[in-house]
């Protein structure tokens, strides 16, 4: 190798390049850009050198680094239009050797810099798109501009790469911050495991779900978190093998909390790989599905019971679709039509029809399917006959009903003799309605918001729920509108030994006054005008289960006495009925009104109030559990972003602070509605909650004293004393009556 030339003999361009390279080769980030423009200005002997990038609107450029007359300059943001940089940022190299100000009179900065000449080259990303430019400006003519352009072109790719690296690093930092925010406050559990199956990391929801404190979770084996059941360790072991093999998978597992109780999760597992592609750890998302699994089990038991009833029914029951294809054929149908169920299911029902039956069935299906029927089922006209497989015709009495299952129209035909019609129809309707309530329970458990929050106020309520749920005691839930009274009622029911039976809900405020008694207790056929059939009331449907009487304060006085009898005697009579019907029903009532005040005012029965007031649960308004608002916000954002199809990854701290500061007169329901609207209105990755949804905290003001219209829903100390006085009056009255009858309770003088 020949010796290097003396510096005096090296070409000027090589000297300039060497000086620039030596000045920037060890630099990165801001130091790189500053060093580059300093050495570029020095090597090319110009007054100004700078690197720029586009602003988001692409109508301006921002100087990443500026060297101005021997010193670093400010990072200016400059409008592109009318400047010598406009052509360069359009993708062209540009050289103006002199008269720069005359060429670009609109660029007033050129006069401030006393600029006479200019050279610039565009900076391109990997796709060839312009992301910024590199430029030099001098206060003297720049006759060797091509030399400057050539040198700047050499560094353009390196500058573009450094700009891209900084952009990627900034995006990565933002992403990591957003991920940490969502990870820690997510309403689902996150866990990560090493290749040995031991727990490496978790979020707060994982601690709450498993009941283990963080110091005990550290290093715990994955298999130790699942129960010794057919759906626990065996499924978990198979899941473990799959993710160790690098397979993304999910499964439903039965786990065990620290206190020994079991829970169900849907576990989605994703392997995390190292640089060599080997599985280094796994990440799991665990969604609590305990309530859904319980509801599904209750539905399965109910469906099995219905199947047994259908098969044991003495009436023939046949279900067909819109094309008359048979979907169900019970044992009695086999006997009636002399055809085995496997030979009938999947075939047309037409072979069992006479001409008259065919005409009547077509008309009934058309009326039910198009909504033209006035009842949920249609009686077949008298005188119809069906046909069995031998061709024998026999007289029938039948009903036809309609239901939609997963978008399909199905029709149920019940062919019965007159003697057995009433009993079979009543049992079938009861089971259908119970199934509807169980289906509603599954939808409610899967879709309604969970009891979200960790505040002391909410924890106190949930502790009371835990204590009262296993008992048979009547529960009275009191609280403002939107505090989640129905959700607490479901929690009490789910924690009881009646969880496998329906939770029947009655909104006392939503039912017309004339229909409440029929809805609650049922009626016999002909009991009143329009009673064309026997109706099973809500209390009968809730037998061995739970009935939830929402808005109990709206119940009329005359009906309160009948409700009291049901609560005391556990029996009822249908309207028009003549015999009492025993029921075993747990009652949960709820109200946002002050029942003690209503008792004093004579609009609510005192004895019913005492009967309901066995175990009161007072739900705190959202303003008294403000620490739960951030958790609720994250939960509702995740829920509605998925439902609506938005991708929201960040919630600004200022937004959360505004939501926490707002008093939420509509409580959790109002917060949910606001978040749903905010998700719809948010077009970017950050949740936008404008003043039209929630006023700024500075504009909020709470009344210093409640007005009569906003009186508290719960008894004050004075009202509690008044209730005590009512107790004393009642006790005195009873004692005086006992003395008058010489303590004889029954008999002529009792």
């Amino acid at each position: 190798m020949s010796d290097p030339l003396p510096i005096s003999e090296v070409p000027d361009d090589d000297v300039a390049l060497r000086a620039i390279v030596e000045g920037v080769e060890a630099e990165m980030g801001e130091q790189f850009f500053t060093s580059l423009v300093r050495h570029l200005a020095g090597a090319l002997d110009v007054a100004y050198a700078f690197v720029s990038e586009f602003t988001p609107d692409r109508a301006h450029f921002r100087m990443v680094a500026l060297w101005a007359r021997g010193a670093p300059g400010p990072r200016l943001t400059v409008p592109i239009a009318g400047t010598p940089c406009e052509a360069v940022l359009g993708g062209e190299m540009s050289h103006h050797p002199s008269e720069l100000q005359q060429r670009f009179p609109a660029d007033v900065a050129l006069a401030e810099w006393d600029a006479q000449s200019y050279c610039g080259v565009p900076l391109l990303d990997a796709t060839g798109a312009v992301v910024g430019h590199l430029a030099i400006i001098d206060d003297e003519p720049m006759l060797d501009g091509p030399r400057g352009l050539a040198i700047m072109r050499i560094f353009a790719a390196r500058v573009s790469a450094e700009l891209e690296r900084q952009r990627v690093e900034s995006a990565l930092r933002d992403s990591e911050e957003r991920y940490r925010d969502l990870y820690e406050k997510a309403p689902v559990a996150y866990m990560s495991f090493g290749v040995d199956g031991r727990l490496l990391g978790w979020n707060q929801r994982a601690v709450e779900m498993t009941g283990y404190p963080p110091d005990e979770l550290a290093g715990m084996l994955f298999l130790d978190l699942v129960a010794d059941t057919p759906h626990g360790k065996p499924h978990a072991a198979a899941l473990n093998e799959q993710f160790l093999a690098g397979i993304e998978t999910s499964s439903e597992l039965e786990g065990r909390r620290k206190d020994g109780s079991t829970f169900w999760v849907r576990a989605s597992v994703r392997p995390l790989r190292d640089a060599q592609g080997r599985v280094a750890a796994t990440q799991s998302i665990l969604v609590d599905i305990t309530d859904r699994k319980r509801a599904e089990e209750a539905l399965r038991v109910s469906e099995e019971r219905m199947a047994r009833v259908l098969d044991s029914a003495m009436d023939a029951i046949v279900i067909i679709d819109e094309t008359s294809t048979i979907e169900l054929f019970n044992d009695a149908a086999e006997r009636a039509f002399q055809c085995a169920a496997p030979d009938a299911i999947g075939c047309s029902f037409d072979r069992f029809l006479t001409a008259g039956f065919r005409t009547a069935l077509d008309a009934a299906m058309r009326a039910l399917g198009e909504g033209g029927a006035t009842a949920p089922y249609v009686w077949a006209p008298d005188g119809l006959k069906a046909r069995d497989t031998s061709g024998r015709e026999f007289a029938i009495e039948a009903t036809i009903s309609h239901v939609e299952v997963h978008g399909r129209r199905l029709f149920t035909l019940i062919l019965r003799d007159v003697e057995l019609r009433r009993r079979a129809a009543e049992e079938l309707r009861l089971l259908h309605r119970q199934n509807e309530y169980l289906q509603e329970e599954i939808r409610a458990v899967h879709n309604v918001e969970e009891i979200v929050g960790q505040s002391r106020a909410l924890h106190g309520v949930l502790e009371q729920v835990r204590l009262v749920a296993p008992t048979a005691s009547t529960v009275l839930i009191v609280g403002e509108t939107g505090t989640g009274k129905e959700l607490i009622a479901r929690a009490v029911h789910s924690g009881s030994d009646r969880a496998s039976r329906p939770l029947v809900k009655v909104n006392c405020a939503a039912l017309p006054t004339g229909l409440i008694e029929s809805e609650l207790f049922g009626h016999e056929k002909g009991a009143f005008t329009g009673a064309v059939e026997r109706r099973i009331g809500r209390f009968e449907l809730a037998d061995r289960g739970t009935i939830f009487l929402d808005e109990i304060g709206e119940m009329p006085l005359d009906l309160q006495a009948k409700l009291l009898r049901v609560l005391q005697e556990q029996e009822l009579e249908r309207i028009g009925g003549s015999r009492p019907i025993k029921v075993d029903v747990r009652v949960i009532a709820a109200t946002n009104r002050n029942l003690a005040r209503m008792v004093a005012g004579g609009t609510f029965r005192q004895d019913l109030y005492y009967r309901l007031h066995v175990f009161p649960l007072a739900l705190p308004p959202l303003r008294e559990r403000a620490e739960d608002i951030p958790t609720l916000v994250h939960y509702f954002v995740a829920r509605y972003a998925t439902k609506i199809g938005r991708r929201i990854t960040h919630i600004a701290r200022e937004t959360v602070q505004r939501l926490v500061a707002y008093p939420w007169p509509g409580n959790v329901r109002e917060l949910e509605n606001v978040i749903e609207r905010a998700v719809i209105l948010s077009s970017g990755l950050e949740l936008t909650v404008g003043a039209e949804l929630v006023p700024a905290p500075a504009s909020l003001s709470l009344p210093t004293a409640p007005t009569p219209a906003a009186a508290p829903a719960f008894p004050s100390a004075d009202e509690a004393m008044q209730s005590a006085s009512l107790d004393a009056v009642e006790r005195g009255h009873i004692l005086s009556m006992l003395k008058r009858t010489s303590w004889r309770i029954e008999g002529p003088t009792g």
Side-chain angles (χ1 to χ4, degrees):
M1 180 180 295
S2 60
D3 295 334
L5 292 172
I7 191 67
S8 60
E9 299 180 23
V10 177
D12 289 345
D13 287 356
D14 290 348
V15 173
L17 283 172
R18 182 179 298 175
I20 298 171
V21 169
E22 290 176 352
V24 302
E25 61 182 351
E27 304 290 353
M28 292 183 66
E30 294 183 4
Q31 291 75 17
F32 168 79
F33 295 119
T34 301
S35 182
L36 173 65
V37 295
R38 179 167 66 88
H39 286 85
L40 189 64
L44 299 180
D45 192 23
V46 293
Y48 300 92
F50 60 87
V51 176
S52 83
E53 63 181 356
F54 277 113
T55 58
D57 62 4
R58 298 187 72 86
H60 299 72
F61 65 82
R62 181 182 68 87
M63 292 184 183
V64 178
L66 167 65
W67 191 260
R69 298 190 180 277
R75 296 182 179 182
L76 303 174
T77 298
V78 181
I80 296 173
T83 69
C85 303
E86 185 172 10
V88 181
L89 290 170
E92 303 175 7
M93 290 192 302
S94 182
H95 171 221
H96 300 288
S98 61
E99 299 181 350
L100 190 63
Q101 296 180 41
Q102 291 83 351
R103 294 172 183 268
F104 300 95
D107 190 347
V108 296
L110 297 178
E112 295 176 3
W113 285 7
D114 193 23
Q116 298 299 321
S117 54
Y118 173 93
C119 279
V121 296
L123 303 178
L124 309 178
D125 65 10
T127 66
V130 178
V131 296
H133 73 308
L134 180 62
I136 56 175
I137 294 177
D138 200 16
D139 53 8
E140 297 289 341
M142 195 186 302
L143 301 180
D144 56 349
R147 170 174 173 264
L149 290 175
I151 292 175
M152 287 190 293
R153 284 187 62 191
I154 294 173
F155 292 94
R158 173 72 170 87
V159 173
S160 298
E162 188 62 25
L163 283 174
E164 179 66 12
R165 187 189 67 79
Q166 288 192 3
R167 187 192 66 78
V168 171
E169 282 188 352
S170 176
L172 181 60
R173 285 193 300 271
D174 291 344
S175 176
E176 288 175 346
E177 289 176 2
R178 288 194 299 270
Y179 176 77
R180 280 195 298 270
D181 185 35
L182 293 174
Y183 176 86
E184 285 301 328
K185 298 179 180 179
V188 297
Y190 286 93
M191 292 183 174
S192 58
F193 298 89
V195 292
D196 58 356
R198 293 189 179 276
L199 192 57
L200 298 176
W202 57 88
N203 68 347
Q204 180 60 32
R205 183 67 182 115
V207 174
E208 297 166 358
M209 180 185 295
T210 63
Y212 285 95
D215 59 337
E216 293 186 34
L217 281 176
M220 182 177 287
L221 283 169
F222 177 50
L223 293 179
D224 287 345
L225 286 171
V226 292
D228 271 320
T229 68
H231 299 283
K233 278 190 167 56
H235 279 59
L239 191 66
N240 192 51
E241 290 179 5
Q242 288 177 309
F243 68 61
L244 287 178
I247 302 172
E248 289 193 28
T249 186
S250 65
S251 182
E252 293 185 353
L253 302 175
E254 190 172 11
R256 192 180 300 281
R257 299 184 181 89
K258 183 180 179 180
D259 62 8
S261 62
T262 59
F263 63 97
W264 278 87
V265 295
R266 183 173 66 252
S268 301
V269 180
R270 180 170 64 91
L272 304 176
R273 302 179 183 276
D274 60 17
Q276 288 73 41
R278 297 171 299 192
V279 176
T282 61
Q283 184 184 62
S284 300
I285 300 177
L286 308 177
V287 180
D288 193 334
I289 58 171
T290 305
D291 290 340
R292 177 174 68 80
K293 295 295 286 189
R294 287 177 179 170
E296 285 178 349
E297 176 62 17
L299 179 62
R300 183 190 64 79
V301 171
S302 176
E303 288 177 340
E304 288 181 357
R305 182 182 175 208
M306 176 177 281
R308 290 194 298 270
V309 170
L310 291 176
D311 287 338
S312 63
M314 297 182 66
D315 294 335
I317 301 175
V318 182
I319 296 179
I320 61 175
D321 65 11
E322 291 180 287
T323 66
S324 292
T325 300
I326 298 172
E327 300 268 339
L328 183 144
F329 207 74
N330 75 338
D331 292 347
E334 290 184 332
R335 295 190 297 270
F337 294 105
Q338 295 296 300
C339 180
D343 296 332
I345 293 174
C347 299
S348 176
F349 188 60
D350 289 351
R351 59 174 168 162
F352 301 118
L353 303 178
T354 60
F357 195 1
R358 171 78 273 173
T359 301
L361 182 60
D362 285 345
M365 291 172 63
R366 186 164 51 252
L368 290 167
E370 296 174 356
T374 58
Y377 60 89
V378 174
W379 279 98
D382 294 336
L384 291 183
K385 291 185 177 182
R387 179 184 295 117
D388 65 19
T389 53
S390 68
R392 180 184 65 89
E393 295 184 0
F394 55 97
I396 61 167
E397 182 183 60
T399 61
I400 307 164
S401 58
H402 164 252
V403 67
E404 287 198 11
V405 179
H406 302 303
R408 297 179 62 225
R409 290 179 177 175
L410 299 179
F411 300 88
T412 300
L413 289 79
I414 303 179
L415 292 82
R416 58 182 79 92
D417 69 42
V418 176
E419 295 299 323
L420 298 178
R421 177 185 61 81
R422 188 181 302 272
R423 186 178 66 188
E426 182 173 313
E427 178 70 11
L428 189 60
R429 285 197 298 272
L430 176 62
L431 289 172
H432 269 304
R433 293 193 68 185
Q434 286 181 338
N435 251 317
E436 289 173 3
Y437 279 109
L438 287 169
Q439 290 278 11
E440 181 182 344
E441 283 292 289
I442 285 183
R443 291 192 295 270
V445 167
H446 186 66
N447 293 324
V448 80
E449 63 272 323
E450 297 178 358
I451 301 176
V452 176
Q454 304 174 37
S455 64
R456 180 176 300 177
L458 181 60
H459 177 76
V461 172
L462 296 181
E463 178 62 19
Q464 289 182 299
V465 169
R466 185 186 68 80
L467 291 173
V468 76
T471 73
S473 298
T474 301
V475 177
L476 177 62
I477 304 172
V478 294
E480 296 178 8
T481 299
T483 51
K485 294 187 285 295
E486 182 179 348
L487 202 60
I488 293 297
R490 291 188 185 279
V492 173
H493 174 69
S494 297
S496 72
D497 57 3
R498 301 168 182 259
S500 61
R501 303 289 298 171
L503 171 66
V504 178
K505 177 186 174 184
V506 180
N507 189 327
C508 300
L511 293 174
T513 303
L515 295 180
I516 296 180
E517 184 175 0
S518 174
E519 282 292 326
L520 289 178
F521 309 129
H523 62 253
E524 297 290 349
K525 181 179 179 181
F528 50 83
T529 303
V532 297
E533 63 171 350
R534 172 183 292 173
R535 179 179 181 83
I536 304 299
R538 302 287 182 92
F539 267 90
E540 284 188 77
L541 286 171
D543 188 30
R544 290 180 292 156
T546 306
I547 192 165
F548 176 46
L549 301 176
D550 198 8
E551 303 295 350
I552 188 68
E554 308 300 327
M555 181 173 287
L557 268 172
D558 59 337
L559 196 58
Q560 292 178 23
K562 297 183 180 181
L563 174 61
L564 180 63
R565 180 196 171 193
V566 175
L567 296 181
Q568 291 176 333
E569 307 295 336
Q570 288 285 289
E571 67 178 27
L572 56 86
E573 286 186 11
R574 301 190 189 113
I575 301 175
S578 58
R579 63 179 182 87
I581 300 171
K582 282 288 185 182
V583 290
D584 174 16
V585 178
R586 183 188 193 169
V587 174
I588 301 175
T591 183
N592 62 358
R593 301 186 66 181
N594 190 323
L595 295 186
R597 184 175 297 173
M598 293 177 66
V599 169
T603 57
F604 199 85
R605 290 181 64 99
Q606 182 184 32
D607 45 9
L608 177 58
Y609 172 69
Y610 290 146
R611 188 70 187 179
L612 294 173
H613 204 259
V614 176
F615 194 94
L617 274 174
L619 303 192
L622 189 56
R623 61 182 172 274
E624 294 180 7
R625 40 181 288 225
E627 60 267 44
D628 289 338
I629 292 176
T631 305
L632 285 164
V633 169
H634 281 83
Y635 176 80
F636 290 137
V637 167
R639 176 181 176 184
Y640 286 108
T642 301
K643 181 178 179 180
I644 295 170
R646 294 279 194 273
R647 183 168 178 265
I648 296 178
T649 61
H650 182 66
I651 306 173
R653 186 183 304 275
E654 294 78 8
T655 299
V656 175
Q657 290 173 344
R658 283 180 56 217
L659 295 172
V660 171
Y662 185 62
W664 299 110
N667 294 296
V668 178
R669 185 180 299 129
E670 182 185 6
L671 173 62
E672 180 182 4
N673 293 338
V674 165
I675 296 302
E676 181 179 4
R677 292 197 298 273
V679 170
I680 294 172
L681 296 173
S682 298
S683 57
L685 299 178
E686 181 174 323
L687 183 72
T688 301
V689 182
E692 73 278 5
L693 300 181
V694 176
S699 68
L700 300 178
S701 62
L702 294 174
T704 58
T707 62
F714 315 116
S716 64
D718 292 340
E719 290 165 335
M721 290 298 294
Q722 183 182 25
S723 294
S725 299
L726 291 172
D727 286 344
V729 171
E730 184 182 45
R731 184 175 185 275
H733 175 70
I734 292 172
L735 287 174
S736 67
M737 294 304 297
L738 287 172
K739 290 176 182 178
R740 287 176 58 186
T741 60
S742 299
W743 296 86
R744 183 185 297 276
I745 298 176
E746 296 180 337
T749 61

